[in-house]
Amino acid sequence: RQAMREIHRVLETGGKFFFNPYSAEHTSAQCGRLLADNLTVDIQGGRLIGCGQLCFYSRAQLEELLSEPWQIESLSHVLIQELLGSTPDVHSEWRAIAKK
C-alpha cells in the first residue's frame, strides 16, 4: 500500500500506471505459507521456489488496492498452464492499467 501511495504521489495527473502482479491462482501461491500481510513465504512448489517473499492477489484484493484515488482503466487475468512434467503448473498474473 505504501508503494502504491508513493507511485500515485509522483505520477502526473492523468498519468497511467501499469501493474503486473501475480494472481492467487498461481501454483506457487498454493505451495507456500501465507502471512498476515498477504506475503507468501516458504514456497515449495511451482516455478517460484526460492524467490523469497511474494504477494499473490485475488481480483477483489487487486481492485481494492487500485481503488480510490486510482481509476482502473483495464484489468486482465492471464493464466498459462505448463502441461509437461509430473504435475501441472499454472503461471497466473494480472495486468492492470490505472489512471491518476
Side-chain angles (χ1 to χ4, degrees), residues 46-70:
R47 304 283 174 163
L48 299 176
I49 295 171
C51 287
Q53 302 176 358
L54 297 171
C55 286
F56 298 90
Y57 294 91
S58 68
R59 179 177 178 171
Q61 289 171 317
L62 185 63
E63 287 179 335
E64 192 273 327
L65 188 63
L66 291 174
S67 62
E68 288 296 324
W70 295 100

PDB file of all heavy atoms in Angstrom, residues 46-70:
ATOM      1  N   GLY A  46       5.770 -25.074  -7.732  1.00  0.00           N
ATOM      2  CA  GLY A  46       5.638 -24.145  -8.841  1.00  0.00           C
ATOM      3  C   GLY A  46       6.990 -23.614  -9.287  1.00  0.00           C
ATOM      4  O   GLY A  46       8.040 -24.072  -8.854  1.00  0.00           O
ATOM      5  N   ARG A  47       6.969 -22.650 -10.163  1.00  0.00           N
ATOM      6  CA  ARG A  47       8.203 -22.109 -10.758  1.00  0.00           C
ATOM      7  C   ARG A  47       8.889 -21.060  -9.889  1.00  0.00           C
ATOM      8  O   ARG A  47       9.957 -20.575 -10.244  1.00  0.00           O
ATOM      9  CB  ARG A  47       7.884 -21.479 -12.119  1.00  0.00           C
ATOM     10  CG  ARG A  47       7.221 -22.397 -13.098  1.00  0.00           C
ATOM     11  CD  ARG A  47       8.206 -23.332 -13.691  1.00  0.00           C
ATOM     12  NE  ARG A  47       7.496 -24.300 -14.528  1.00  0.00           N
ATOM     13  CZ  ARG A  47       8.091 -25.031 -15.419  1.00  0.00           C
ATOM     14  NH1 ARG A  47       9.377 -24.921 -15.608  1.00  0.00           N
ATOM     15  NH2 ARG A  47       7.405 -25.898 -16.117  1.00  0.00           N
ATOM     16  N   LEU A  48       8.282 -20.671  -8.759  1.00  0.00           N
ATOM     17  CA  LEU A  48       8.824 -19.579  -7.968  1.00  0.00           C
ATOM     18  C   LEU A  48       9.501 -20.035  -6.681  1.00  0.00           C
ATOM     19  O   LEU A  48       9.690 -19.255  -5.753  1.00  0.00           O
ATOM     20  CB  LEU A  48       7.713 -18.569  -7.664  1.00  0.00           C
ATOM     21  CG  LEU A  48       7.084 -17.931  -8.906  1.00  0.00           C
ATOM     22  CD1 LEU A  48       5.935 -17.028  -8.518  1.00  0.00           C
ATOM     23  CD2 LEU A  48       8.116 -17.179  -9.725  1.00  0.00           C
ATOM     24  N   ILE A  49       9.910 -21.302  -6.631  1.00  0.00           N
ATOM     25  CA  ILE A  49      10.654 -21.800  -5.472  1.00  0.00           C
ATOM     26  C   ILE A  49      11.943 -20.992  -5.333  1.00  0.00           C
ATOM     27  O   ILE A  49      12.651 -20.772  -6.313  1.00  0.00           O
ATOM     28  CB  ILE A  49      10.975 -23.302  -5.625  1.00  0.00           C
ATOM     29  CG1 ILE A  49       9.693 -24.128  -5.637  1.00  0.00           C
ATOM     30  CG2 ILE A  49      11.907 -23.775  -4.522  1.00  0.00           C
ATOM     31  CD1 ILE A  49       9.913 -25.591  -5.989  1.00  0.00           C
ATOM     32  N   GLY A  50      12.216 -20.538  -4.127  1.00  0.00           N
ATOM     33  CA  GLY A  50      13.447 -19.811  -3.867  1.00  0.00           C
ATOM     34  C   GLY A  50      13.403 -18.336  -4.219  1.00  0.00           C
ATOM     35  O   GLY A  50      14.421 -17.658  -4.163  1.00  0.00           O
ATOM     36  N   CYS A  51      12.247 -17.807  -4.566  1.00  0.00           N
ATOM     37  CA  CYS A  51      12.140 -16.392  -4.941  1.00  0.00           C
ATOM     38  C   CYS A  51      11.906 -15.463  -3.746  1.00  0.00           C
ATOM     39  O   CYS A  51      11.745 -14.267  -3.931  1.00  0.00           O
ATOM     40  CB  CYS A  51      11.022 -16.195  -5.965  1.00  0.00           C
ATOM     41  SG  CYS A  51      11.460 -16.809  -7.596  1.00  0.00           S
ATOM     42  N   GLY A  52      11.834 -16.010  -2.549  1.00  0.00           N
ATOM     43  CA  GLY A  52      11.646 -15.163  -1.376  1.00  0.00           C
ATOM     44  C   GLY A  52      10.185 -14.863  -1.116  1.00  0.00           C
ATOM     45  O   GLY A  52       9.305 -15.660  -1.423  1.00  0.00           O
ATOM     46  N   GLN A  53       9.915 -13.703  -0.566  1.00  0.00           N
ATOM     47  CA  GLN A  53       8.565 -13.295  -0.190  1.00  0.00           C
ATOM     48  C   GLN A  53       7.854 -12.683  -1.398  1.00  0.00           C
ATOM     49  O   GLN A  53       8.382 -11.778  -2.028  1.00  0.00           O
ATOM     50  CB  GLN A  53       8.609 -12.263   0.928  1.00  0.00           C
ATOM     51  CG  GLN A  53       9.320 -12.743   2.158  1.00  0.00           C
ATOM     52  CD  GLN A  53       9.423 -11.661   3.208  1.00  0.00           C
ATOM     53  OE1 GLN A  53       8.989 -10.535   3.019  1.00  0.00           O
ATOM     54  NE2 GLN A  53      10.003 -12.002   4.330  1.00  0.00           N
ATOM     55  N   LEU A  54       6.662 -13.175  -1.676  1.00  0.00           N
ATOM     56  CA  LEU A  54       5.895 -12.678  -2.818  1.00  0.00           C
ATOM     57  C   LEU A  54       4.453 -12.420  -2.414  1.00  0.00           C
ATOM     58  O   LEU A  54       3.934 -13.058  -1.501  1.00  0.00           O
ATOM     59  CB  LEU A  54       5.902 -13.704  -3.957  1.00  0.00           C
ATOM     60  CG  LEU A  54       7.253 -14.026  -4.572  1.00  0.00           C
ATOM     61  CD1 LEU A  54       7.137 -15.205  -5.526  1.00  0.00           C
ATOM     62  CD2 LEU A  54       7.812 -12.813  -5.297  1.00  0.00           C
ATOM     63  N   CYS A  55       3.808 -11.510  -3.126  1.00  0.00           N
ATOM     64  CA  CYS A  55       2.376 -11.275  -2.951  1.00  0.00           C
ATOM     65  C   CYS A  55       1.642 -11.860  -4.146  1.00  0.00           C
ATOM     66  O   CYS A  55       2.067 -11.695  -5.297  1.00  0.00           O
ATOM     67  CB  CYS A  55       2.066  -9.781  -2.869  1.00  0.00           C
ATOM     68  SG  CYS A  55       2.538  -9.021  -1.328  1.00  0.00           S
ATOM     69  N   PHE A  56       0.558 -12.536  -3.863  1.00  0.00           N
ATOM     70  CA  PHE A  56      -0.345 -13.071  -4.880  1.00  0.00           C
ATOM     71  C   PHE A  56      -1.717 -12.464  -4.603  1.00  0.00           C
ATOM     72  O   PHE A  56      -2.177 -12.491  -3.461  1.00  0.00           O
ATOM     73  CB  PHE A  56      -0.419 -14.602  -4.790  1.00  0.00           C
ATOM     74  CG  PHE A  56       0.904 -15.290  -5.034  1.00  0.00           C
ATOM     75  CD1 PHE A  56       1.775 -15.552  -3.996  1.00  0.00           C
ATOM     76  CD2 PHE A  56       1.265 -15.672  -6.312  1.00  0.00           C
ATOM     77  CE1 PHE A  56       2.989 -16.197  -4.211  1.00  0.00           C
ATOM     78  CE2 PHE A  56       2.477 -16.312  -6.548  1.00  0.00           C
ATOM     79  CZ  PHE A  56       3.346 -16.570  -5.500  1.00  0.00           C
ATOM     80  N   TYR A  57      -2.376 -11.930  -5.628  1.00  0.00           N
ATOM     81  CA  TYR A  57      -3.602 -11.169  -5.426  1.00  0.00           C
ATOM     82  C   TYR A  57      -4.821 -11.846  -6.047  1.00  0.00           C
ATOM     83  O   TYR A  57      -4.772 -12.292  -7.196  1.00  0.00           O
ATOM     84  CB  TYR A  57      -3.475  -9.778  -6.053  1.00  0.00           C
ATOM     85  CG  TYR A  57      -2.453  -8.909  -5.387  1.00  0.00           C
ATOM     86  CD1 TYR A  57      -1.139  -8.897  -5.827  1.00  0.00           C
ATOM     87  CD2 TYR A  57      -2.795  -8.112  -4.309  1.00  0.00           C
ATOM     88  CE1 TYR A  57      -0.188  -8.091  -5.205  1.00  0.00           C
ATOM     89  CE2 TYR A  57      -1.864  -7.308  -3.680  1.00  0.00           C
ATOM     90  CZ  TYR A  57      -0.562  -7.304  -4.134  1.00  0.00           C
ATOM     91  OH  TYR A  57       0.377  -6.516  -3.517  1.00  0.00           O
ATOM     92  N   SER A  58      -5.919 -11.851  -5.308  1.00  0.00           N
ATOM     93  CA  SER A  58      -7.216 -12.212  -5.883  1.00  0.00           C
ATOM     94  C   SER A  58      -7.732 -10.969  -6.613  1.00  0.00           C
ATOM     95  O   SER A  58      -7.198  -9.861  -6.440  1.00  0.00           O
ATOM     96  CB  SER A  58      -8.201 -12.602  -4.776  1.00  0.00           C
ATOM     97  OG  SER A  58      -8.533 -11.460  -4.000  1.00  0.00           O
ATOM     98  N   ARG A  59      -8.779 -11.138  -7.379  1.00  0.00           N
ATOM     99  CA  ARG A  59      -9.350  -9.985  -8.080  1.00  0.00           C
ATOM    100  C   ARG A  59      -9.834  -8.942  -7.083  1.00  0.00           C
ATOM    101  O   ARG A  59      -9.590  -7.745  -7.252  1.00  0.00           O
ATOM    102  CB  ARG A  59     -10.500 -10.430  -8.986  1.00  0.00           C
ATOM    103  CG  ARG A  59     -11.132  -9.263  -9.715  1.00  0.00           C
ATOM    104  CD  ARG A  59     -12.217  -9.666 -10.655  1.00  0.00           C
ATOM    105  NE  ARG A  59     -12.795  -8.484 -11.273  1.00  0.00           N
ATOM    106  CZ  ARG A  59     -13.653  -8.513 -12.261  1.00  0.00           C
ATOM    107  NH1 ARG A  59     -14.038  -9.670 -12.768  1.00  0.00           N
ATOM    108  NH2 ARG A  59     -14.123  -7.400 -12.762  1.00  0.00           N
ATOM    109  N   ALA A  60     -10.516  -9.383  -6.043  1.00  0.00           N
ATOM    110  CA  ALA A  60     -11.032  -8.448  -5.041  1.00  0.00           C
ATOM    111  C   ALA A  60      -9.894  -7.672  -4.367  1.00  0.00           C
ATOM    112  O   ALA A  60     -10.005  -6.457  -4.162  1.00  0.00           O
ATOM    113  CB  ALA A  60     -11.858  -9.197  -4.000  1.00  0.00           C
ATOM    114  N   GLN A  61      -8.813  -8.348  -4.043  1.00  0.00           N
ATOM    115  CA  GLN A  61      -7.668  -7.674  -3.413  1.00  0.00           C
ATOM    116  C   GLN A  61      -7.044  -6.656  -4.358  1.00  0.00           C
ATOM    117  O   GLN A  61      -6.679  -5.558  -3.938  1.00  0.00           O
ATOM    118  CB  GLN A  61      -6.613  -8.695  -2.995  1.00  0.00           C
ATOM    119  CG  GLN A  61      -7.004  -9.552  -1.825  1.00  0.00           C
ATOM    120  CD  GLN A  61      -6.011 -10.677  -1.603  1.00  0.00           C
ATOM    121  OE1 GLN A  61      -5.566 -11.329  -2.553  1.00  0.00           O
ATOM    122  NE2 GLN A  61      -5.663 -10.914  -0.347  1.00  0.00           N
ATOM    123  N   LEU A  62      -6.927  -7.014  -5.623  1.00  0.00           N
ATOM    124  CA  LEU A  62      -6.335  -6.110  -6.602  1.00  0.00           C
ATOM    125  C   LEU A  62      -7.212  -4.880  -6.802  1.00  0.00           C
ATOM    126  O   LEU A  62      -6.726  -3.749  -6.825  1.00  0.00           O
ATOM    127  CB  LEU A  62      -6.111  -6.834  -7.929  1.00  0.00           C
ATOM    128  CG  LEU A  62      -5.387  -6.037  -9.001  1.00  0.00           C
ATOM    129  CD1 LEU A  62      -3.974  -5.689  -8.562  1.00  0.00           C
ATOM    130  CD2 LEU A  62      -5.364  -6.797 -10.298  1.00  0.00           C
ATOM    131  N   GLU A  63      -8.521  -5.101  -6.938  1.00  0.00           N
ATOM    132  CA  GLU A  63      -9.427  -3.972  -7.131  1.00  0.00           C
ATOM    133  C   GLU A  63      -9.432  -3.057  -5.907  1.00  0.00           C
ATOM    134  O   GLU A  63      -9.511  -1.844  -6.034  1.00  0.00           O
ATOM    135  CB  GLU A  63     -10.833  -4.470  -7.456  1.00  0.00           C
ATOM    136  CG  GLU A  63     -10.921  -5.029  -8.864  1.00  0.00           C
ATOM    137  CD  GLU A  63     -12.294  -5.556  -9.223  1.00  0.00           C
ATOM    138  OE1 GLU A  63     -13.060  -5.938  -8.306  1.00  0.00           O
ATOM    139  OE2 GLU A  63     -12.604  -5.586 -10.427  1.00  0.00           O
ATOM    140  N   GLU A  64      -9.306  -3.636  -4.720  1.00  0.00           N
ATOM    141  CA  GLU A  64      -9.251  -2.821  -3.506  1.00  0.00           C
ATOM    142  C   GLU A  64      -7.958  -2.012  -3.469  1.00  0.00           C
ATOM    143  O   GLU A  64      -7.957  -0.836  -3.125  1.00  0.00           O
ATOM    144  CB  GLU A  64      -9.361  -3.731  -2.274  1.00  0.00           C
ATOM    145  CG  GLU A  64      -9.605  -2.988  -0.973  1.00  0.00           C
ATOM    146  CD  GLU A  64      -8.318  -2.529  -0.312  1.00  0.00           C
ATOM    147  OE1 GLU A  64      -7.300  -3.225  -0.433  1.00  0.00           O
ATOM    148  OE2 GLU A  64      -8.326  -1.451   0.306  1.00  0.00           O
ATOM    149  N   LEU A  65      -6.856  -2.623  -3.854  1.00  0.00           N
ATOM    150  CA  LEU A  65      -5.567  -1.935  -3.874  1.00  0.00           C
ATOM    151  C   LEU A  65      -5.570  -0.779  -4.868  1.00  0.00           C
ATOM    152  O   LEU A  65      -4.958   0.255  -4.634  1.00  0.00           O
ATOM    153  CB  LEU A  65      -4.461  -2.937  -4.226  1.00  0.00           C
ATOM    154  CG  LEU A  65      -3.025  -2.463  -4.114  1.00  0.00           C
ATOM    155  CD1 LEU A  65      -2.671  -2.107  -2.674  1.00  0.00           C
ATOM    156  CD2 LEU A  65      -2.083  -3.526  -4.642  1.00  0.00           C
ATOM    157  N   LEU A  66      -6.274  -0.949  -5.976  1.00  0.00           N
ATOM    158  CA  LEU A  66      -6.325   0.080  -7.020  1.00  0.00           C
ATOM    159  C   LEU A  66      -7.608   0.910  -6.951  1.00  0.00           C
ATOM    160  O   LEU A  66      -7.990   1.536  -7.939  1.00  0.00           O
ATOM    161  CB  LEU A  66      -6.199  -0.573  -8.400  1.00  0.00           C
ATOM    162  CG  LEU A  66      -4.833  -1.165  -8.729  1.00  0.00           C
ATOM    163  CD1 LEU A  66      -4.878  -1.902 -10.058  1.00  0.00           C
ATOM    164  CD2 LEU A  66      -3.756  -0.100  -8.740  1.00  0.00           C
ATOM    165  N   SER A  67      -8.261   0.916  -5.800  1.00  0.00           N
ATOM    166  CA  SER A  67      -9.453   1.750  -5.655  1.00  0.00           C
ATOM    167  C   SER A  67      -9.014   3.192  -5.417  1.00  0.00           C
ATOM    168  O   SER A  67      -7.857   3.533  -5.650  1.00  0.00           O
ATOM    169  CB  SER A  67     -10.318   1.231  -4.507  1.00  0.00           C
ATOM    170  OG  SER A  67      -9.611   1.309  -3.286  1.00  0.00           O
ATOM    171  N   GLU A  68      -9.897   4.023  -4.961  1.00  0.00           N
ATOM    172  CA  GLU A  68      -9.571   5.432  -4.743  1.00  0.00           C
ATOM    173  C   GLU A  68      -8.173   5.590  -4.179  1.00  0.00           C
ATOM    174  O   GLU A  68      -7.793   4.847  -3.285  1.00  0.00           O
ATOM    175  CB  GLU A  68     -10.587   6.060  -3.779  1.00  0.00           C
ATOM    176  CG  GLU A  68     -11.953   6.283  -4.378  1.00  0.00           C
ATOM    177  CD  GLU A  68     -11.951   7.283  -5.520  1.00  0.00           C
ATOM    178  OE1 GLU A  68     -11.191   8.273  -5.470  1.00  0.00           O
ATOM    179  OE2 GLU A  68     -12.699   7.073  -6.469  1.00  0.00           O
ATOM    180  N   PRO A  69      -7.361   6.460  -4.703  1.00  0.00           N
ATOM    181  CA  PRO A  69      -7.696   7.505  -5.670  1.00  0.00           C
ATOM    182  C   PRO A  69      -7.487   7.103  -7.128  1.00  0.00           C
ATOM    183  O   PRO A  69      -7.577   7.931  -8.020  1.00  0.00           O
ATOM    184  CB  PRO A  69      -6.732   8.628  -5.284  1.00  0.00           C
ATOM    185  CG  PRO A  69      -5.514   7.899  -4.825  1.00  0.00           C
ATOM    186  CD  PRO A  69      -6.033   6.647  -4.142  1.00  0.00           C
ATOM    187  N   TRP A  70      -7.178   5.826  -7.390  1.00  0.00           N
ATOM    188  CA  TRP A  70      -6.948   5.371  -8.757  1.00  0.00           C
ATOM    189  C   TRP A  70      -8.265   5.159  -9.497  1.00  0.00           C
ATOM    190  O   TRP A  70      -9.304   4.927  -8.887  1.00  0.00           O
ATOM    191  CB  TRP A  70      -6.189   4.045  -8.762  1.00  0.00           C
ATOM    192  CG  TRP A  70      -4.806   4.113  -8.208  1.00  0.00           C
ATOM    193  CD1 TRP A  70      -4.418   3.749  -6.958  1.00  0.00           C
ATOM    194  CD2 TRP A  70      -3.630   4.556  -8.873  1.00  0.00           C
ATOM    195  NE1 TRP A  70      -3.066   3.938  -6.801  1.00  0.00           N
ATOM    196  CE2 TRP A  70      -2.557   4.430  -7.963  1.00  0.00           C
ATOM    197  CE3 TRP A  70      -3.374   5.041 -10.142  1.00  0.00           C
ATOM    198  CZ2 TRP A  70      -1.253   4.774  -8.292  1.00  0.00           C
ATOM    199  CZ3 TRP A  70      -2.073   5.380 -10.467  1.00  0.00           C
ATOM    200  CH2 TRP A  70      -1.033   5.245  -9.552  1.00  0.00           C
TER     201      TRP A  70
END
